[in-house]
C-alpha cells in the first residue's frame, strides 16, 4: 500500500470533486479577436500555460473526510486499499461522526459462522435493503491468530470493530472493510462464557472450570487483565451491559469436570444459576446484588437495549419474555431500576421447551430486539415430542418492536450460516 494516492487510484471520487483537466477549453471567435487586440506583453501573459496538476491527495484531511463520509458503504472496502493515509482516515472517529451526521450509519446485525475453511459473515441492515448479504473470508486471509473453528465463540463490538472471541484466540473483524486481524487471546481459556462491552472495553466471565476471574480487554494496548473474581462460576452464560454494569446471565454451575454427574442435591443450586444474573459495576469495581429471573425459567437468550435487559426463558411447558429495568443513571435517579416486566412472548409453537439442540441468540437493534435461531431445527424438536411440523426450520429471525410491543418475522438466515454467533453494530 502506498503512502499517498493519485487521481488514477480513485478516479470516480476525483471526478466528483474536481473538473477533469483533460477537457480543454476552446475559446469562442469573439474572445480570440479580443485577445489579438491586447498589447503584446499582456497577450503573452494570457497565453502562458496554466498547470493542472491538482490531485485528490492535495486535499487537507478535513475536506477529504467530508468526501469520504459520502462514499457508499459498499465502496468502503476499496477506500482502505487506496493508500495508507486513506486507510488511517477511515479508522478515525471523525469519519464515523461525519457519516452519522450525513445519515450514512445504519443499525446492522452481523452473524458469523466459523469453519476450518474460513469465516462466513452475514449482514442484515435495518432501514435499508431488508435482506441478508453473505461474505466468505478464507482461513488464510484471517490473520496469523486464526486457527480454524472458534468453538462456542462470543462476539462483542467496539465501534465498527467486531471482536470474535474464541476459547484461546481472538480476531477483529472490521465492519466497514471486512478485514480480519488477529488479537490477543484471553488470560484463561473459556467456553460458553459471557461477554459485554462497557466504555470501549470488553469484559468476559464464566466458562472456565478452574477460575472465576472476570477479565477486561483494552483494544488500545491489545491486552487482557483480571479485574475481579465473580461470585459464581457459570457455564453457558450470556453477557449484557447497561449504564456501566456488566450482567452475567443464566448458565449452569461448573462442576469439578465435565464428565462428573451432578448430584441430585445440587439440582436446586444449579437451577439458581440458570435463572439468575450477577451484576458487576465497572466504575466501582465491585459486584452488586444478584437478581433472580421471575418464574424461575432457564435463560436461553438475552441482550440489552435502551436501558433495559431483555431475557428469553424456557420453562417446562412454555417460553416467556421478560424485561429488566437497568436504568441506574436515568433522570430522577432511575426509580424503576431492578423491576421486572413480562412482555409478549415470541410467536413460537405453544408448549415448546427448548433443549440443547435448538439455540437462539438475542441482539439489540436500536430500540428493537432481534431473536435469531442460530442452531437446530424447531420442526425436528416438535417431531421428537410427537407433534406435527409447523414450517419452522433453521435460521428463524424474529424482531420485537419495543415501542409497539409486537413481534414480526424477518428474513431467515442464509443456509451457509449455522452454529453462529451474532452482534449488532452501527456502521
Amino acid at each position: 500500500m502506498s503512502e499517498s494516492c493519485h487521481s488514477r487510484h480513485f478516479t470516480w471520487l476525483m471526478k466528483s470533486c474536481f473538473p477533469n483537466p483533460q477537457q480543454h477549453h476552446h475559446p469562442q471567435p469573439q474572445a480570440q479577436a479580443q485577445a489579438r487586440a491586447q498589447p503584446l506583453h499582456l497577450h503573452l501573459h494570457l497565453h502562458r500555460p496554466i498547470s493542472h496538476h491538482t490531485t485528490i491527495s492535495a486535499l487537507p484531511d478535513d475536506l477529504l473526510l467530508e468526501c469520504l463520509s459520502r462514499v457508499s458503504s459498499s465502496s468502503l472496502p476499496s477506500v482502505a486499499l487506496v493508500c495508507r493515509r486513506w486507510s488511517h482516515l477511515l479508522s478515525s472517529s471523525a469519519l464515523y461522526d461525519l457519516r452519522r451526521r450525513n445519515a450514512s450509519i445504519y443499525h446492522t446485525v452481523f452473524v458469523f459462522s466459523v469453519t476450518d475453511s474460513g469465516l462466513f459473515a452475514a449482514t442484515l441492515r435495518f432501514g435499508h435493503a431488508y435482506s441478508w448479504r453473505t461474505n466468505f473470508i478464507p482461513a488464510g486471509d484471517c490473520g496469523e491468530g486464526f486457527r480454524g473453528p472458534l468453538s462456542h465463540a462470543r462476539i462483542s463490538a467496539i465501534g465498527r470493530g467486531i471482536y470474535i472471541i474464541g476459547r484461546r484466540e481472538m480476531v477483529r473483524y472490521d465492519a466497514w472493510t471486512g478485514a480480519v486481524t488477529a488479537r490477543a487471546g484471553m488470560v484463561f481459556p473459556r467456553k460458553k462464557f459471557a461477554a459485554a462491552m462497557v466504555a470501549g472495553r470488553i469484559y468476559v466471565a464464566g466458562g472456565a472450570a478452574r477460575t472465576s476471574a472476570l477479565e477486561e480487554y483494552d483494544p488500545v494496548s491489545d491486552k487482557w487483565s483480571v479485574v475481579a473474581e465473580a461470585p459464581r462460576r457459570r457455564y453457558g452464560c450470556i453477557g449484557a451491559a447497561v449504564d456501566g454494569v456488566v450482567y452475567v446471565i443464566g448458565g449452569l454451575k461448573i462442576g469439578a469436570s465435565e464428565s462428573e454427574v451432578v448430584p441430585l442435591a445440587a439440582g436446586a443450586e444449579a437451577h439458581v444459576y440458570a435463572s439468575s444474573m450477577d451484576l458487576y459495576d465497572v466504575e466501582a469495581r465491585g459486584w452488586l446484588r444478584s437478581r433472580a429471573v421471575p418464574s424461575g425459567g432457564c435463560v436461553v437468550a438475552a441482550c440489552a437495549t435502551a436501558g433495559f435487559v431483555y431475557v428469553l426463558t424456557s420453562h417446562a411447558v412454555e417460553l416467556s419474555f421478560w424485561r429488566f429495568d437497568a436504568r441506574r443513571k436515568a433522570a430522577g435517579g432511575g426509580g424503576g431500576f431492578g423491576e421486572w416486566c413480562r412482555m409478549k412472548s415470541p410467536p413460537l409453537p405453544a408448549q415448546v421447551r427448548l433443549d440443547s439442540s435448538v439455540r437462539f441468540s438475542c441482539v439489540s437493534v436500536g430500540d428493537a430486539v432481534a431473536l435469531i435461531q442460530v442452531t437446530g431445527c424447531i420442526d425436528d424438536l416438535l417431531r421428537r415430542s410427537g407433534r406435527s411440523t409447523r414450517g419452522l426450520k433453521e435460521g428463524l429471525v424474529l424482531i420485537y418492536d419495543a415501542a409497539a410491543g409486537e413481534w414480526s418475522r424477518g428474513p431467515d438466515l442464509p443456509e451457509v450460516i449455522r452454529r453462529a454467533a451474532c452482534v449488532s453494530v452501527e456502521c
Side-chain angles (χ1 to χ4, degrees), residues 314-320 345-354 378 381-382 385-387 390:
S314 176
H315 305 262
V317 294
E318 65 175 348
L319 293 173
S320 59
S345 298
L348 294 171
Q351 297 184 353
V352 60
R353 185 179 187 276
L354 300 183
I378 295 181
L381 186 65
L382 294 174
S385 62
R387 300 168 63 184
R390 297 286 296 274

Side-chain angles (χ1 to χ4, degrees), residues 92-295:
S92 67
S93 59
L95 180 60
Y96 190 88
D97 294 338
L98 283 172
R99 291 184 66 83
R100 180 187 294 276
R101 189 184 67 185
N102 295 333
S104 299
I105 297 293
Y106 302 92
H107 291 287
T108 307
V109 174
F110 285 79
V111 182
F112 296 92
S113 180
V114 185
T115 66
D116 289 329
S117 57
L119 177 70
F120 285 96
T123 58
L124 180 64
R125 176 163 294 172
F126 286 69
H128 203 260
Y130 201 49
S131 61
W132 290 97
R133 297 181 59 184
T134 306
N135 183 34
F136 174 72
I137 303 174
D141 297 336
C142 293
E144 296 179 357
F146 186 85
R147 303 185 183 92
L150 303 181
S151 179
H152 305 290
R154 294 294 190 257
I155 298 183
S156 190
I158 302 176
R160 73 173 211 257
I162 300 174
Y163 294 82
I164 307 174
I165 313 169
R167 185 172 183 177
R168 297 182 180 274
E169 60 277 301
M170 180 172 70
V171 295
R172 179 186 184 275
Y173 179 92
D174 192 306
W176 280 357
T177 66
V180 179
T181 54
R183 289 293 184 265
M186 296 178 291
V187 176
F188 297 100
R190 302 172 186 267
K191 184 178 179 181
K192 293 188 176 182
F193 52 93
M197 189 277 293
V198 175
R201 298 192 175 193
I202 298 174
Y203 295 84
V204 298
R210 298 183 178 181
T211 181
S212 58
L214 172 75
E215 295 185 43
E216 177 189 75
Y217 174 72
D218 182 358
V220 177
S221 62
D222 189 29
K223 291 183 179 179
W224 290 89
S225 59
V226 176
V227 294
E229 295 293 327
R232 294 182 175 91
R233 292 186 183 181
R234 298 174 181 265
Y235 177 82
C237 47
I238 305 166
V242 179
D243 282 350
V245 175
V246 176
Y247 292 79
V248 184
I249 309 169
L252 300 174
K253 181 178 183 296
I254 301 179
S257 67
E258 295 183 1
S259 59
E260 181 180 353
V261 178
V262 179
L264 184 62
E269 184 179 7
H271 183 73
V272 169
Y273 279 62
S275 60
S276 67
M277 56 187 186
D278 298 325
L279 287 66
Y280 178 76
D281 188 326
V282 172
E283 184 177 359
R285 295 290 179 178
W287 292 91
L288 305 178
R289 179 172 64 88
S290 298
R291 306 288 175 138
V293 178
S295 73

Side-chain angles (χ1 to χ4, degrees), residues 333-415:
F337 176 74
E339 295 181 358
W340 288 95
C341 179
R342 184 163 185 173
M343 316 304 289
K344 184 176 182 179
S345 298
L348 294 171
Q351 297 184 353
V352 60
R353 185 179 187 276
L354 300 183
D355 57 21
S356 58
S357 64
V358 177
R359 185 166 62 89
F360 281 88
S361 181
C362 194
V363 295
S364 61
V365 187
D367 293 337
V369 174
L371 185 64
I372 304 174
Q373 180 188 352
V374 293
T375 301
C377 176
I378 295 181
D379 283 353
D380 293 341
L381 186 65
L382 294 174
R383 280 194 293 268
R384 287 197 298 271
S385 62
R387 300 168 63 184
S388 60
T389 60
R390 297 286 296 274
L392 300 174
K393 299 185 178 181
E394 299 181 57
L396 179 67
V397 177
L398 299 173
I399 309 297
Y400 178 75
D401 187 335
E406 295 294 335
W407 289 89
S408 61
R409 185 163 181 174
D412 293 350
L413 277 179
E415 294 184 0

